[in-house]
Amino acid sequence: MNPKKILLIIGGGIAAYKTLELIRRAQDRGFEISVVMTGAAQHFVTPLSVSTLAKGRLYSDLFDRQEDMDVGHIRLSRQADIVVVAPATADLMAKMSHGLADDLASATLLANDKPVLLAPGMNPNMWEHPATRRNRAQLAEDGVQFVGPMAGEMAEANEAGTGRMAEPDEILEAVQAILGVPKAGPLSGKHVLITAGPTHEPIDPVRYIANRSSGKQGYAIARAAQAAGAKVTLVSGPVDIAAPDGVKLVSVQTARQMKQAVIEALPADIAIMCAAVADWRATHEADRKQKKDGSGKPAALELTENPDILAYVAQQSDPRPALVIGFAAETDNLIDNATSKRLRKGCDWLVANDVSQEGVMGGDHNAVHLIRDSGIEAWPQAGKQAVAERLMSEIIQHFQ
Ligand code: CTP
């Protein structure tokens, strides 16, 4: 197989020193890497070190073409599979968002038609500055992707905040996710299908039936499955969080759309139905806003039951996922209700959570019971990511 090619653009920031490690680790992961350094970058790391590590594939000036007849900045990105900018400085981001092209780095970015990943690294005040905020919003709209920056100590003494460039391995994981390079892991080769978030069931153009689900638990599970090397499809109702890199996100609004998206995503090896699907929808969705009629009597809202997506997946045979996991949100008789819900729906495992506790629905923590044939386990309260990782390690064991 041909190696995937990264074009790395090194910006002029203190984090430029980390790009030497980035080049080495990219090569360890089988990437071929070429480098463009901005003029400013050369004050932070020497072209000689970069060129030595990059096996001579270093370019630094718009007018210093490698071959006379060649248009350097166009050729450079055409030969790459992805362009990575690290550290992406406030200055480079400003140039990119405005389409400036006065040196090889910015001209290459403007002539580029490949995916672009920015690893910003700058002082926290610069990162939070309204100008940088505008630029990053514009770049995100232009399809540019970001890894980091991270919160923590900065190079400047006594400075903390968000602005530290992501570590080389984090950058390379984002590259692999964007390029669809599968990660090796205990769930490599497995397809995990996850539903998450609430559904919104329209009543009329301005009103809908919804619930308090934030999607955090389902998204955390998607992240854990992706980290375990699985191919992940995340069918999500409307939420405010971003899908993890490399996860295939299918966004839906209603239960019926969610069911359709799940059917299209099958077959899967593992189905984890985490969504808080609205049980009912308005029988008749009005195409105009429903007005008060002046009588003082509330309008009748006729409801119809939504399809049960978990039961559909658990009871299907064409082929049925080897492991089907449901969630049960309960406020009373948690164990009894959840145990009978597992049998009724036909899923293999059921994760039951007590949503009568303040802060579970929409919050960051969860205290759950895992119910399966072999028994019931009570897990202590933990962060939703920790719950996701524990569930993933149970799944990995199940398949060993
Ligand atoms: N579920 C689903 N489709 C539905 C309703 C629920 O796929 N229409 C799934 C949820 O994703 C979850 C499980 O079923 O995995 C249990 O959801 P829950 O809301 O607790 O159960 P309900 O079926 O709504 O049961 P009840 O209203 O009796 O509590």
Side-chain angles (χ1 to χ4, degrees):
M1 238 178 33
N2 285 336
K4 294 272 185 197
K5 297 188 180 72
I6 298 176
L7 176 65
L8 170 65
I9 296 182
I10 306 181
I14 184 74
Y17 77 92
K18 284 193 204 167
T19 56
L20 295 176
E21 186 68 9
L22 178 64
I23 296 169
R24 214 178 47 72
R25 294 198 180 210
Q27 290 163 339
D28 287 349
R29 290 181 189 231
F31 287 102
E32 188 178 296
I33 192 154
S34 306
V35 185
V36 169
M37 294 179 81
T38 65
Q42 297 173 38
H43 295 295
F44 291 93
V45 49
T46 71
L48 184 60
S49 330
V50 172
S51 171
T52 306
L53 282 175
K55 304 188 170 71
R57 283 188 286 267
L58 169 66
Y59 310 88
S60 56
D61 192 294
L62 186 52
F63 305 105
D64 172 23
R65 291 181 192 148
Q66 295 290 303
E67 292 152 40
D68 278 347
M69 296 305 289
D70 202 359
V71 184
H73 55 285
I74 295 184
R75 178 175 56 89
L76 281 173
S77 65
R78 292 287 147 82
Q79 286 177 347
D81 295 295
I82 185 168
V83 180
V84 175
V85 186
T89 59
D91 178 66
L92 256 176
M93 285 170 55
K95 278 184 167 172
M96 283 177 76
S97 79
H98 289 88
L100 299 184
D102 63 352
D103 62 2
L104 181 59
S106 51
T108 301
L109 285 159
L110 196 62
N112 168 55
D113 59 356
K114 299 292 164 50
V116 180
L117 175 68
L118 300 190
M122 67 191 73
N123 173 282
N125 290 342
M126 293 171 95
W127 177 249
E128 294 300 345
H129 193 283
T132 309
R133 284 171 179 267
R134 276 197 302 278
N135 291 333
R136 60 203 221 218
Q138 181 61 55
L139 290 168
E141 200 183 312
D142 294 344
V144 169
Q145 303 192 57
F146 289 83
V147 52
M150 309 303 179
E153 291 282 315
M154 303 298 297
E156 296 94 334
N158 303 324
E159 282 262 13
T162 299
R164 188 170 59 77
M165 188 176 88
E167 295 301 321
D169 279 331
E170 290 167 317
I171 297 174
L172 291 171
E173 265 148 40
V175 166
Q176 288 179 322
I178 293 168
L179 294 181
V181 178
K183 281 205 222 168
L187 294 184
S188 292
K190 298 239 180 308
H191 179 206
V192 179
L193 171 60
I194 299 166
T195 64
T199 62
H200 284 183
E201 309 295 333
I203 296 170
D204 67 20
V206 297
R207 304 184 180 93
Y208 56 83
I209 301 170
N211 59 63
R212 291 182 200 282
S213 168
S214 64
K216 285 178 188 163
Q217 187 62 76
Y219 277 59
I221 292 170
R223 203 169 298 116
Q226 144 87 10
K231 174 182 153 199
V232 182
T233 306
L234 176 61
V235 179
S236 174
V239 295
D240 279 340
I241 37 184
D245 279 335
V247 163
K248 182 171 180 211
L249 175 70
V250 185
S251 296
V252 298
Q253 297 278 329
T254 67
R256 284 183 294 174
Q257 289 166 355
M258 185 172 274
K259 182 176 178 195
Q260 187 55 35
V262 162
I263 291 171
E264 281 165 25
L266 286 168
D269 300 285
I270 302 157
I272 309 175
M273 305 286 99
C274 213
V277 183
D279 289 324
W280 299 286
R281 65 175 181 274
T283 307
H284 308 288
E285 180 189 342
D287 53 10
R288 288 159 182 274
K289 184 183 170 199
Q290 299 300 286
K291 310 286 279 180
K292 293 189 281 290
D293 66 5
S295 70
K297 285 198 193 131
L301 180 59
E302 195 189 321
L303 298 173
T304 299
E305 195 170 332
N306 268 327
D308 191 316
I309 304 164
L310 171 62
Y312 171 84
V313 173
Q315 287 157 28
Q316 82 133 38
S317 56
D318 187 25
R320 181 189 189 273
L323 183 61
V324 179
I325 305 177
F327 273 68
E330 304 291 346
T331 52
D332 312 284
N333 301 331
L334 177 79
I335 302 292
D336 285 354
N337 281 340
T339 304
S340 55
K341 195 172 278 183
R342 181 173 85 97
L343 299 176
R344 193 169 69 242
K345 302 215 179 201
C347 57
D348 304 303
W349 299 0
L350 193 93
V351 180
N353 57 348
D354 180 355
V355 290
S356 66
Q357 293 173 31
E358 182 111 9
V360 167
M361 212 69 180
D364 292 321
H365 290 79
N366 218 348
V368 304
H369 287 74
L370 178 61
I371 304 176
R372 44 190 171 178
D373 279 342
S374 56
I376 300 175
E377 279 172 38
W379 292 0
Q381 165 151 324
K384 287 185 174 173
Q385 192 62 46
V387 170
E389 275 154 28
R390 182 154 179 196
L391 182 64
M392 209 46 62
S393 65
E394 293 290 338
I395 293 172
I396 291 164
Q397 270 181 34
H398 177 80
F399 281 95
Q400 265 162 5

